[in-house]
Amino acid sequence: MSFDVPMNLYYRESHEWIDPETGRIGLSDYAQDELGDIVFVELPSVGDEIEAGEDFGVVESIKAVSDIYAPVSGEVTDVNERVFDEPELLNEDPYGDGWLVEVDAADEGELEDLHSGSEYSDQIE
Amino acid sequence: MALRTPPLHDRHEALDASFTDFGGWDMPVEFDSIRAEHEAVRTAAGIFDVSHMGEVEVSGPDAEALMQRLTTNDVTELDPGDAQYSMITDDRGVILDDTVVYRMPASAPAPDAPGTDATFMFVPNAGHDAQMHERWTSHAETWGLDVEVANVTDDLGMVAVQGPDANALVADATDADVHDLGRFEATYGTVAGTPTWIARTGYTGEPGFEIVFPAADGVAVWDAFDCQPCGLGARDTLRLEMGFLLSGQDFDPEDEPRTPYEAGVGFTVDLDTEFVGRDALERQAEEGVEEEFVGFVLNERGVPRHGYEIRNADGDQIGTVTSGTMSPTLGEPIGLGYVGTTFTEDGETVRVVVRGEGKAATITTPPFLEGYQ
């Protein structure tokens, strides 16, 4: 099975993506497929600080509970409240309507610690 | 240790299933999505490979006496072709396993049919077959009973066809007259040329059948049913909506030692029979239990999971969650667990601690769906 990996995003090994243009963070297509039907999402609030490598939320599928890890540090500037009522958006549109939070990255240099699209593709092959 | 593989494993791989270790078996957990598989069973039909369930055959002059003394229900009530839900308890009355016991017809229609020449066949849970075979064998020896006990788990496979359309699917696939079978009745019948044992039983709350067959013929039997393949994930959400017990999770002799009265299956205990654990259970029947198995619906967002605490309004722990999920049919979080007997009334409000936060839940006797019993 092949998974969608947009090349303009950066990825953590733990399958979170961040869009360097918008600061938007979500879970990869591979992650949503591994998790299966997502039924619950817990996220921080606008104004909260998240820290690179630390968990900042929880996503639950029917099968399991998983922490979500921050790809970069920064302040949360927006939260996708739609996913609280429609967690299935993470399955249906992981890079679009299923995004999670937007952050104002504190240190652009942290992006260098993440995987490029092609590196991430190799990881999940 | 290498995982045991069901006879249909290659078939599941070809269907691109994802697999999990369940009781030492490498079993399909999901074919398409749990939600889709669950819905298919509630609205049409689905087929499950349940070959991880054990099969133990008991035969000989004292077969009935041995079954009677090692299971809590009264096997003398069974006519040939009858099935019975029962518990296997230790001398403290703690459930070691739950099982379905079949009394087999006097002779099978084909030499390789499941249960051939056996007086009884019973179905232990995944990974318990060797332990139960040993339990039956050693007790027969201790008690000087004349029986033969055979663990035929690896020789047989089993599928479950479940859902509103299951009756028609099974009736079309077999020469047996399954329309006349009542719930917990079984018969021999041929499916795709294979001699099978067809029982009107299941674990989903839907009409349906469990079909036992020689392992080598598994693919032909599986392919005889044109319906949604379902994995253990959907099996779990379906049984949870009905409040059915899951061995190893809702009861477990080590981690969750429970008696049938605590686990809400006291109806399987016949104190007029003599069986291992009877005296302890008689005492408990007289004295009552301290905790009981209940269902609950979470009134706030979150998913209850095995091991979460249940608390009262004052924040004191009054019980523990043993199973939970987001109900695909209801779209609400539901769970099962044990609470103190003062909190078991329907409508009672308790709190389930989800990652540190106490969330309101309402005690609700399963099944959680309307129109089911």
Side-chain angles (χ1 to χ4, degrees):
Chain A
M1 187 180 276
S2 69
F3 296 99
D4 191 15
V5 181
M7 289 297 149
N8 60 321
L9 306 178
Y10 287 89
Y11 300 84
R12 259 186 68 83
E13 259 178 28
S14 52
H15 311 294
E16 295 83 3
W17 56 259
I18 180 166
D19 182 337
E21 297 295 317
T22 62
R24 215 166 244 199
I25 292 171
L27 289 183
S28 73
D29 185 30
Y30 173 85
Q32 69 78 23
D33 187 74
E34 283 286 297
L35 286 163
D37 298 300
I38 292 167
V39 293
F40 178 72
V41 184
E42 199 173 277
L43 296 173
S45 305
V46 170
D48 286 353
E49 296 283 339
I50 64 172
E51 194 172 335
E54 300 289 316
D55 58 288
F56 70 92
V58 170
V59 58
E60 293 203 47
S61 68
I62 291 178
K63 286 185 284 193
V65 188
S66 303
D67 290 324
I68 318 168
Y69 294 92
V72 297
S73 307
E75 182 185 331
V76 176
T77 55
D78 200 1
V79 174
N80 184 6
E81 304 220 347
R82 272 187 77 190
V83 299
F84 295 139
D85 291 328
E86 301 171 78
E88 63 273 16
L89 290 173
L90 272 74
N91 293 118
E92 293 164 3
D93 194 7
Y95 301 110
D97 289 343
W99 66 279
L100 298 173
V101 295
E102 227 168 71
V103 293
D104 184 9
D107 176 5
E108 298 276 324
E110 285 179 344
L111 291 173
E112 288 169 20
D113 297 333
L114 301 170
H115 291 321
S116 67
S118 58
E119 286 166 341
Y120 182 67
S121 287
D122 290 344
Q123 183 196 326
I124 61 174
E125 240 177 36
Chain B
M1 200 164 66
L3 291 177
R4 298 164 80 177
T5 52
L8 288 156
H9 196 274
D10 290 350
R11 196 80 187 80
H12 306 325
E13 280 191 328
L15 289 168
D16 205 21
S18 57
F19 290 83
T20 191
D21 171 1
F22 192 86
W25 289 77
D26 194 29
M27 297 303 292
V29 66
E30 193 175 337
F31 288 87
D32 293 303
S33 86
I34 291 175
R35 199 187 297 274
E37 294 164 28
H38 183 108
E39 190 183 338
V41 173
R42 288 275 178 253
T43 60
I47 184 168
F48 302 78
D49 180 3
V50 286
S51 300
H52 58 304
M53 304 296 286
E55 287 92 8
V56 177
E57 293 176 357
V58 186
S59 49
D62 294 329
E64 182 178 89
L66 184 61
M67 292 302 298
Q68 190 76 328
R69 291 172 72 168
L70 289 177
T71 60
T72 59
N73 219 329
D74 182 5
V75 298
T76 65
E77 291 176 350
L78 298 176
D79 291 324
D82 284 351
Q84 181 184 63
Y85 185 49
S86 197
M87 298 295 134
I88 300 159
T89 49
D90 65 13
D91 55 10
R92 301 168 298 162
V94 166
I95 305 171
L96 302 176
D97 207 355
D98 62 348
T99 189
V100 171
V101 176
Y102 299 100
R103 187 191 287 273
M104 307 308 289
S107 62
D112 56 346
T116 300
D117 297 331
T119 315
F120 291 92
M121 181 168 68
F122 71 97
V123 180
N125 278 288
H128 291 186
D129 53 309
Q131 178 200 349
M132 291 306 148
H133 176 255
E134 160 63 20
R135 183 173 181 79
W136 257 245
T137 307
S138 61
H139 278 81
E141 196 178 313
T142 304
W143 293 329
L145 295 176
D146 183 5
V147 294
E148 280 177 39
V149 184
N151 181 1
V152 291
T153 303
D154 291 335
D155 301 331
L156 300 176
M158 185 177 350
V159 296
V161 182
Q162 300 278 302
D165 296 347
N167 289 355
L169 279 168
V170 174
D172 285 350
T174 179
D175 56 340
D177 186 2
V178 293
H179 288 300
D180 282 347
L181 279 186
R183 185 151 167 73
F184 275 78
E185 289 180 358
T187 184
Y188 283 108
T190 301
V191 174
T194 298
T196 65
W197 176 245
I198 304 173
R200 196 182 275 279
T201 49
Y203 194 52
T204 62
E206 297 299 328
F209 296 86
E210 290 175 308
I211 302 165
V212 187
F213 47 83
D217 302 323
V219 173
V221 174
W222 174 272
D223 286 346
F225 301 100
D226 182 16
C227 58
Q228 172 72 49
C230 299
L232 294 183
R235 186 170 165 85
D236 192 44
T237 53
L238 288 156
R239 70 93 195 173
L240 249 161
E241 287 183 343
M242 300 307 295
F244 294 155
L245 295 168
L246 176 60
S247 166
Q249 192 161 306
D250 299 313
F251 65 86
D252 184 290
E254 300 296 326
D255 298 331
E256 192 72 60
R258 294 293 176 180
T259 68
Y261 294 124
E262 292 169 326
V265 288
F267 64 90
T268 63
V269 178
D270 190 332
L271 292 174
D272 292 332
T273 67
E274 287 293 335
F275 60 88
V276 174
R278 184 204 162 277
D279 293 349
L281 289 176
E282 185 179 41
R283 275 197 302 278
Q284 197 172 59
E286 286 168 4
E287 293 167 6
V289 295
E290 291 181 1
E291 289 192 324
E292 277 180 54
F293 194 59
V294 294
F296 61 85
V297 176
L298 209 62
N299 306 324
E300 301 179 48
R301 291 197 314 111
V303 185
R305 302 281 182 186
H306 180 83
Y308 286 5
E309 282 185 18
I310 304 176
R311 295 183 182 167
N312 64 12
D314 296 333
D316 303 322
Q317 185 172 1
I318 55 160
T320 312
V321 176
T322 52
S323 290
T325 194
M326 181 69 75
S327 158
T329 307
L330 298 171
E332 291 176 12
I334 59 172
L336 304 170
Y338 293 90
V339 295
T341 46
T342 50
F343 299 94
T344 57
E345 288 291 315
D346 266 34
E348 183 84 38
T349 301
V350 296
R351 301 195 83 79
V352 175
V353 183
V354 179
R355 288 184 296 281
E357 196 181 333
K359 303 207 172 193
T362 305
I363 299 293
T364 307
T365 301
F368 293 99
L369 309 184
E370 294 200 4
Y372 291 80
Q373 290 187 334

